[in-house]
Structures are given as C-alpha cells and as structure tokens.
Amino acid sequence: MKFIYKFFGLIVIFLGACLLFSRNIPTLSLTTSSAADLMSSTYPTVSIEMGDFFINNLTGYNSAVNASTIRESITPIDTSKEFTLSIVEKSKKIESMTYTLLSIPDNIEMYSEEVSDFDEGVDKKHLSTPIFLDTALDTSTEYALHICLSTDSGADIHYYTRIKYYESDFFLSKKLDFISDFHEATFSDLDEETDESEDAFDISSYLETSYENKYNESLANVSIYSNSDLIKWNGLPVKTVTTPVPTIKELNIEGASVLMSYYVTIKINKQTYLYYVEEFYRLRYSSGQMYLLYFERNMDQIFDASDFDYKDNVFNLGLSSETDFNLTCDSENKYMSFTKNGSLWFFDTEKNKLVQVFSINDSSNILKKKSSTSDNNKPYQYDIKIIDVHDNGDIDFVFCGYLNSGDYEGHVAIILYKYNATDDELTERLYIPLTKTYQRLDYDFGDFCYVNEKNVFYFELDDKVYTYNLSSKKYAVLSDNANENTFAMLKDACAYVFSNATEDSYATSLSILNLSTDEEVKISAPNNDKIRVLGTVENNIIYGLIREKDISKDESGETILPVYKTIIADCSGKILKKYSTKNHFVDSVETNGNVVTVHRLKRKPSGKYKKASDDTILSQNPENTSGFYIDDSTEDEYLKTTYIHVPTSAKVKSEPKYSKTDKILIDENTTFRITDENENTYYYTYTHGNISERNSSPAKAILSADEGMGVVLNSKGELIWERAGQFLSKKLSGISDSPATSKISSAKSCCYLLLKAAQVTVKPKELEGKNVLTILSDYLPTAVNLSGCNVKETLYFISNERPVIAKIGNDHYVVLKEYTETTITWYDPESDSDKTASLDSAYDLFKEQGNVFVSFI
C-alpha cells in the first residue's frame, strides 16, 4: 500500500511542478494567429514618475530573465531611496506586484516587497505605487530592479531597470528640464504663439555647427554639428502626434545620456506624411552651468503602400536614416522583397501586387489614436532578415528580437517563417525562445542564416554554428568556436567558412560549406603551418597561413598570430590571389567593395612585433547586375528621398494592388530550445543609448566607448568602464608596501600588489609567468588587458578601488595608485618609492612604451 501512496504522491508533485513552472516556460499555440492579434499589445505600460516627468518606459517580459544582463534604462535614487512607479493597464488587469532589488552580476536578492494596493494616478489613467528600497546601497553603484506584475489571468509579467544611488544631488530634474526646453525650442519657429521675449530658449548657443556638414545633411540625420535651421526642421510644418518619454541611458553626478522617441507628421503638397523620430542627448551639469556635449536626431518616414510612381517605376520609401532595406529579388527579377519600419514587404511584378507580409508594429494606426505616453515603447526592438526570394515568389525570412504582441508577447526569440506567394500564406517553421534582450541578440546572432531545399536551417548564435533539420527535428553544432579568427559568412555565395581551431589548439584546416548543397570543401595548411580566417571579400574567402614559430604573445599577454602569406580563394577552394611581402606579416584585414586593406606587422630584432604601414589588395571587380535597385533623390537636399527602382522589363502601368497577410499558420510544434549563454567573455560598448559594438578585447571596447561618450559592460552585465564616471580624485591605500621577499622583477612585484588589492593571498616567490597578464590569470579570472587605452582612460579603474599595472620601460612595471584632476601617482617597486607626474606628461610617457596596462574587474 505504501508504494501506491508514493506513486500518487509523485503524481501530485509532478502536476504541481508543471503548474508552477508553466508560468515561466514560453508556450506554443498550435493554432492560426491572425495579423490583428499580432498588432494588439496587451501588456501594461510601466514607467517611472519623477517630479513632473514620466521617464523610462520599461519592456515587459513573459518570463524572468537574468536581471544583470538587462540595461535598458537607469533609474537614479537619492538618500530617500524612493520613487513612484506608474502603470497603465490595457486588457490585462493587475492584481499584485512584487519588486526585488538584486546585486550585479550575481543576482543576489538585497531587498524585496509585495504590493497589492495601488493609488490612482494624477490623470486617472495611471495606477501608481511608491517603491521604497530599504537597504544599504553603495554610491554610484548599479543594481538591478526586477518588477513582477501578477495579472487576473494568472500570468506574471516581468520588468527591469537599473538602480543607481547617489548621496549627493545628481541634478536629474535640471537635466530633464534642459532637454524639454531644447526639444520644444526646435519647434519654436513653427508655433505661431512662440514667445519672442529675451527669455526664449536659444538652441544655437549650444550647437557646434560645422561648415563641412552644412551642405551634406538632410532631416534624416541632424546633430550638434548641424545648423540651427536644420535642427528646427528647416521651417517645415511639423506636428508631434505622440508625447516623448525620456529614457535615462547613463547618469552620474555631472553627466547624463537620454534617449527620446516620438512620431510627427509633415504636410507637403496637401499630403500628410508620418515619421518616427529618435533624439539622443548627452549633457553635463557643472558649477551651475549646463553643457550640451552631444545631440543627434534621426528621422524615418513611415512607408505608405500607395506611394508608387508608375510613370518612373519607383517605390517611394521617403526620408530615411536607414541604409539597409534588405532588398532581395528572385533570379529573374519578377519578385522583390524589402524591409522598412519593421515590416516585410513583397512585390509581384506580374500581378502588380504589393503585400505587407509581416509586421508587429502598425505605425499607420498612430494617427488614429490620441497622443499618449503609453504608446511610446520603442517600436523596433527586432530585426527581419530576408534569407531568400525563390523563383516562384516564396520568401524565407527570420524574425529575431522582442515580440510586443500576439501569442509570443513578451518573448525574445528567433523565428523562421516561410511566405507562400501563391496562397498568400505565412507559416511559422521554427521558434527558438531565448532569455536575453534584443540589444544583446542583435550582436550575438549571426548576420547571415540560410534554409536550403532539404529543409536544413543554418544559423550562428553565441559563437556556435548550428544546423537544424526542420523535417527530422534534429540538430548538430558545426562549430562551437566561431570567432573572428575561425569563422566567416559569405551571404551572396550562401556559404559558411569555419576552422578546426579549439580553445586549446590553433587551426590546421578550413572548411567551406555550401549551404545550398551541403557540400563541404576542406583547405589544409601546408608544412605543419597553422591557418586563420581573416575575412571575406565579395563571394570569396580571405585566409592566412601562419608558421608556428612566429606565434607569440605581446607584452600584455595577448596572442599574436602573424600571417606570412594571405590568400583569396573562391568557395570551391580555388586560389584567386596570393599576397606576401618580405619581412612583413598580416595582422588583420578590412574590406570595402573589392578593395582589401591589409594591416601589417614587422618583427623587431628582439623578436617582438610592431605595427607597420598598411597595404591594399584589389580583388576581382564586382559584377554589374540589372534589376531592382535603391537610389536617393537629389531634388530636395533636406528631405532627401529614397526610392526602389523597378526594372524597366516589368511593365507596371498602374498603382499596385495592396494587401496584408491575415494569418500565420502554426500547424505543428515548432519549438527548438537551446542554451543561449555565451561561454566566451565579451565586452559590449553602449553609445547613443544602445549597444554599438561587441569586442573580445576590453581595451577596444573602452576606446570605442570613450570616442562615443558611452559605457562598457561585460557579458555578465557588470559595468566595466564609464566615460566621466570616475571621481575627480582618488587615492588607494596599501599599494606602497614593498613585498617582503628577496629581489624579484618589477612585473612580479606589481602582480603581488595588485593581487593583494584583489584580496588574493599569495607569496611573491610563487608567482610564475612570462608576462603580467599570464601571471595574474592564474589567480584572477577577472584580470583584464587594458593595453591600447591611454592612461586617462585607466583612471576609472583606480576610482573603483582597482590599481592598474603599467609599463614605463623595458621589463619595468609600476602600479598606478592615485590621481587628481591634473596629476597621477604610481608606486615603483624597483626604487621602492612613489612618483607623481602631470597627467599630460604621464600620457606621453606611457604612450611611448606602447600603453601597456593591466587591471582586474
């Protein structure tokens, strides 16, 4: 009998577990989804109320994700540790809410509170509730806030923001007031009731107008370097139709970066056009003065399906800051597909039919709605990649990103679709749910994927190359080490190139896989050489041969793979061109059209490598193709219009018939689950409010962030570096304690002191390694190579209690330990003394030695 009780007990536990975990597992509806359902968002809109402003519209997720990896907004708090959460309900009604403060990157719970009663907002449309974080917080440190709304349907919706605490005033209200005044002033010449008094806001005093830009700009892209007339819309009758909501992207005591989005209309020749607009501001407030460090505004016209000029055979895409519309055609130029404003379009020249195949952002309805802050979530948190347009008009394409409506509302996913042109049907073929943000996915998902006639889908995600058979539901990993040295994509040739390199060994061969036929060509390195992928040019692969004896590490510990012979080959492996120069090696290449720029190295007598002058290689000329093409008009330099030209062979004599696909067919379980965690450490550069670059090198990421006035985060979500984020001065204690041992090298002495600061106990005599980075890597998994940065960019690490090791001579290293606004101080173990120098002279000193720096996270 006890076995029967145990059996039923296990059944009860199993059913309870299914009920509990089903909330957090993305589900699949094996039904037909209508297009109308896809365009109807049901999640509540959540934002932060601070004084007179609503800020930071938060993205709602269907299931809990790693809070440390989300950095969509910054919510600052002062010593009160309190702010107000504002909620606008839609079809889902809220029953309760839980908010939890978490540390980064370990996601340890620091404080949690449940709320079941909500206040009525000031305009009676919002619900509001105070958020109070009653726990100890470190100043200028980022934390993750997880907000979970429980709805009447039993579903939980998850929202995230970063919390940043300051004990002193961070002047957010002044910064937001300035942005509001600047934004309103751009419309001042258009408003008949504009205040003409001396107190009117003058934007021209904040601009840095460049003469060179004066005649090379349109309203699609304006910036702080543009003239004030252009920033004021060049006098056009612009009307806002939605209210901008500021999103705080970066914030410290002095500085702030803010992104705003909204829609406007412009009436031209009695026709009204709709535009999506984004504004980015970077400010600094110091000594009672506001400084505008950067301003940028991008503008995109919403595509109107009726805007076709059949006399000139062109589709009018309008004013656009976009440059890539994914224009793809079949082999005979009968069918064409493109993307615009987050929608996929299809044109059939024979039937003269234009179809909106896919869209989850129906911008055309904006004009039908009353202006509302609740409709201002960023609409394009996704990308559409057209894989192929077949000769029968069918389209294979991939959606990747965040879904704000439909059966998958709140999910981030990769979805493979097929459009059947004959039946005008859209079918979901594969659904891959992920637990990352679209911003990360945009850089972690490969630029090119492919599905062939054998129903095999190829794609790259998180440095792994997958092949998935849509018929058998089986998958394989072609390569689990797809980085810049081991992997490349050839979109036009429908091919992947990957090497057999592993984490522990260098590559000895390359494989060129034809994705259409599944045929593989192998290229082996001769004479025990190593081989390395350098890049692609047109439909060809660029690779390099490396002698094992030439492989070395630089002074900072980074591996150098110098190529003695560079080869350009086609997809069959046939060699088209060889390149080598005496006493020079290739470090990397860049391509522009059919021109390959070669970045070279030269070996010094010491065996070390130094940068040499660049060289160029010309590949074969690209073939000229006739058919559909994109061109810009020159009629109006400020409202420069982009057109898609239809081939003259397509005799279109009237406006195309317009339609939308009205359903998405899901007739089987299409879900494929994979672990979307990248084992490699990457550094993400955030500039202008979004991720702009991904690097394996922290130094390259910092250099990019410094130039773009942004920040750097690693894969775990830790803040690595922030432009102007350090204190004005800082002094680290305990650095000048000389190691209690017999004489050791300055490199090991510095490593000992840095390990001591990192609370790692080790005896100086135990330290082994050829350079600073290899010594530290045995004890610190978070050691970072900052070589290439300048000394001023390393101050952020000292500000955050992390000393920096620097090279000042041959095998001579010191520890940077203190700085002021004008000076820097380091400890020199060779002389057992401190030395202070001006920042400018130190800048030159370290630059002469190659800017070799190492610290830790």
Side-chain angles (χ1 to χ4, degrees), residues 100-372:
T100 306
L101 187 71
L102 305 163
S103 60
I104 298 172
D106 47 23
N107 285 322
I108 294 175
E109 182 178 314
M110 300 175 61
Y111 183 79
S112 185
E113 192 73 43
E114 185 174 353
V115 177
S116 56
D117 294 323
F118 299 90
D119 299 325
E120 189 177 79
V122 291
D123 58 2
K124 297 184 180 181
K125 295 181 180 179
H126 297 72
L127 300 177
S128 69
T129 183
I131 301 290
F132 178 56
L133 303 173
D134 188 15
T135 186
L137 300 172
D138 294 329
T139 187
S140 191
T141 299
E142 293 188 3
Y143 302 90
L145 183 66
H146 174 198
I147 299 164
C148 179
L149 300 182
S150 297
T151 66
D152 54 359
S153 64
D156 289 341
I157 307 173
H158 306 264
Y159 301 82
Y160 300 87
T161 185
R162 290 279 180 111
I163 297 295
K164 206 167 186 180
Y165 170 73
Y166 288 103
E167 292 182 350
S168 54
D169 193 352
F170 44 82
F171 305 107
L172 179 62
S173 60
K174 291 184 179 297
K175 294 167 184 174
L176 293 177
D177 282 337
F178 175 88
I179 289 171
S180 178
D181 290 341
F182 189 98
H183 171 78
E184 292 298 327
T186 64
F187 295 89
S188 61
D189 291 349
L190 314 174
D191 190 347
E192 296 179 357
E193 300 179 2
T194 298
D195 182 8
E196 300 292 344
S197 70
E198 295 180 359
D199 295 332
F201 192 95
D202 179 19
I203 68 170
S204 61
S205 61
Y206 295 96
L207 304 180
E208 301 175 21
T209 302
S210 168
Y211 180 80
E212 289 78 8
N213 287 348
K214 203 166 187 179
Y215 301 101
N216 294 295
E217 288 187 324
S218 75
L219 284 171
N221 306 97
V222 301
S223 72
I224 194 173
Y225 307 112
S226 305
N227 64 70
S228 59
D229 289 339
L230 200 58
I231 291 178
K232 290 186 173 184
W233 310 94
N234 205 45
L236 290 169
V238 182
K239 302 290 184 183
T240 57
V241 291
T242 59
T243 305
V245 175
T247 298
I248 313 301
K249 294 293 186 176
E250 314 296 342
L251 185 79
N252 51 48
I253 295 296
E254 290 191 347
S257 293
V258 179
L259 186 69
M260 297 199 304
S261 61
Y262 55 99
Y263 285 89
V264 301
T265 58
I266 302 179
K267 193 171 184 179
I268 303 173
N269 297 328
K270 298 183 180 181
Q271 186 169 351
T272 300
Y273 297 93
L274 180 66
Y275 301 83
Y276 172 71
V277 184
E278 280 191 350
E279 290 181 355
F280 175 78
Y281 297 82
R282 184 168 178 83
L283 313 169
R284 181 165 68 89
Y285 183 78
S286 179
S287 302
Q289 181 68 39
M290 190 69 72
Y291 301 90
L292 180 62
L293 303 179
Y294 190 71
F295 167 77
E296 182 176 279
R297 186 179 69 212
N298 296 317
M299 183 176 178
D300 284 286
Q301 184 172 322
I302 304 304
F303 177 63
D304 186 344
S306 66
D307 206 347
F308 179 80
D309 186 344
Y310 59 86
K311 293 181 180 178
D312 293 330
N313 259 23
V314 294
F315 285 102
N316 180 6
L317 301 184
L319 184 76
S320 182
S321 63
E322 297 180 60
T323 56
D324 182 13
F325 301 96
N326 276 286
L327 181 66
T328 309
C329 314
D330 71 306
S331 62
E332 297 181 356
N333 285 308
K334 292 181 180 178
Y335 309 103
M336 176 268 291
S337 184
F338 66 96
T339 58
K340 183 75 165 71
N341 312 122
S343 298
L344 176 70
W345 297 87
F346 167 73
F347 179 56
D348 183 336
T349 62
E350 294 185 331
K351 296 181 180 179
N352 193 22
K353 181 176 70 171
L354 179 66
V355 182
Q356 186 179 29
V357 174
F358 181 88
S359 180
I360 58 171
N361 176 58
D362 192 6
S363 304
S364 61
N365 283 333
I366 294 291
L367 293 175
K368 302 175 185 178
K369 299 178 181 179
K370 191 176 181 180
S371 175
S372 170

Side-chain angles (χ1 to χ4, degrees), residues 106 156 310 370 399 404 466 513 526 552 564 622 689 697 711 797 853:
D106 47 23
D156 289 341
Y310 59 86
K370 191 176 181 180
F399 170 97
N404 61 5
Y466 293 89
L513 179 65
S552 68
Y564 74 87
S697 163
V711 301
F797 289 83
F853 302 104

